Amino acid sequence: MTKIKIWGLALTFLWSQSLLAEVIDVTIHYVGPTEGSVWLGMQQGMSEANLQGEFLGQTYTIKPVTLDELADLDEVTALLLASDAETIVAVAETEKFNNVPVFNLMSDEDNLRAACLPNLLNISISQQMKQDALAQWLAKHPGSKAHVQSWHESFRKFAASQLNSRFTKASGIIMDDDSWAGWAAVKLISDTVARIQSDDATKMLNYLRNDIAFDGQKGAGATFRQTGQLRQLVLLIENNKIMAEAPLRGVKGGLDSLGLLSCK
Amino acid sequence: MKLKQLLLSSLVLVSASAWADPTYRLFVTNEKSNTVSVIDSRTGKIETTLEIGDRPRGIGLSPDQKILYVALSEENAIGMVDVATLEFLGKLKAGEDPETFDVHPNGNLYLSNEDDAKATVLNPATGEIITEIRVGLEPEGVAVSPKGDIALVTSESTNMVHVIDTASHKVVANILVAARPRGLAFNSDGSFAYVSSEIGNELAIIDTTTHTIIKKVVLDIPKSKPMAIKISPDDKTLYLTTGRAAKAAIINAETLELIATVDVGKRVWGAELSRDGATLYTADGVSNTVSVVDTATQKKVMTIDVGKGPWGLALDD
């Protein structure tokens, strides 16, 4: 190849790269354990977010912080919390975080949904969602010993098998509710940043609450309820086997047959 | 395939012998029974069923239509069959978990490796893997432009269409589209490409010069999960399979307005259009059938029982 041709190719390549928007470096702050399921789920989400970012011009970093360190921070893009309900409410209600998306990764407390805090996004499923799903199942299968999970390692539909397999390959553990929630929260953030081309907290929160149709590898594009709960199907598990997905077929209301529907 | 393409490929494949007459065979990959059904498209009768490897999914023909290629996902291979004699010609290594592919006018296969976030370029004449190209997660749809200058690959879990320059094998643009992009198709001169998004339930038109989305619609079909796309020879009509909605959608390719829907089988995925545009075939993944649709009357005219989990279709006409 002649030098001119090489230069031509290089220029074509550089020119096409420069068409991309400026690189956005996104730092996500996190309070919670830095080992185990939820953490590994977040790491999976981050590696996927960075792969997308390679092509679209974003980088993602998760910065673990203590509550004290959080209190000293001025500007935050998004907050992930793997902590108890009281802490979550306290952080979400902190004035300087009022416009920041705050993700609840692990708590199933119904109060967190009933509080209807405008910036709180619940990725984990609530107690009431579990109860409603179980009631739908028991109506058809009285006496069943099934319980409800958000995710299961043998879930295959909706490309869940691909997510299960790449998570286990990368982390060495099976994906469960906590790792799915950690993964989903980071992907919700990266999906938002890529689409709005901004990491402005207010714009992100607005997009997350009103516009997102997220592919959580659990079927239809996921959206948030007014209560801040992520709409999603759940799984009925018995003897570590998936017996059914709830909402069960034929139940009125679809995904909104599970859990608190709206704010008063 | 268009005339221009045929001429181009015949120039490239100078060593190939004279063109064979079409066999009118319709080949169907049956993902779950590990078979390929061979249908006489003129009668709708099953001629034979081939067993060439595990989890057959993507399917296509060489530019001279003499060789059938089948992606054997479980075997990380491409299986090859002589279209005229139905003789099995062997398998080629194709990277991890090849799902689907398109054939370049020069004969090379552009494959998506679903589990590996890669696209692989394979020369089937030599078995050589020419290159591997890093793309987003769960690459799915692949389409090579009619001129062969670019290849498009969708990455389902990172919501992108990657534009690959086939001369340098570099990704030259990435276009963010609605969630879980699946199918791709070009118009006849390659100026536009169409992409379907399963979870976003969206269909979009990409300008292949500016790499931008110039039009998109959310489909107004209950339960619809847009999958395979076919474009009529006159570029005016787009055919789209819709998964769980169990319909083939007939859409105005310029405005993206829905013209009609045709009931086909359950979980309809793959599609093929006859060269004259008169007949659309769909692979109905849960019904285990191929539906035959007359595009003029917009009616299903035949249902053909095939193996389990029919996935993709290729027609030698």
Side-chain angles (χ1 to χ4, degrees), chain A residues 54 162 166 195 215 217, chain B residues 114 134 138 157 177 180:
Chain A
E54 266 181 45
Q162 279 88 340
R166 68 177 181 260
R195 287 183 194 282
D215 179 15
Q217 314 215 181
Chain B
E114 187 179 26
R134 188 167 151 87
E138 292 177 44
S157 201
V177 295
R180 199 149 277 270

Side-chain angles (χ1 to χ4, degrees), chain B residues 258-269:
Chain B
L258 183 64
I259 299 166
T261 61
V262 182
D263 290 330
V264 289
K266 287 183 188 163
R267 206 204 68 182
V268 54
W269 278 16

Side-chain angles (χ1 to χ4, degrees), chain A residues 70-82:
Chain A
L70 196 60
D72 292 338
L73 288 173
D74 288 332
E75 257 191 69
V76 169
T77 297
L79 274 173
L80 306 184
L81 304 178

Side-chain angles (χ1 to χ4, degrees), chain B residues 272-288:
Chain B
E272 178 65 299
L273 191 63
S274 63
R275 188 184 300 275
D276 60 7
T279 313
L280 176 74
Y281 302 90
T282 65
D284 312 330
V286 168
S287 303
N288 301 327

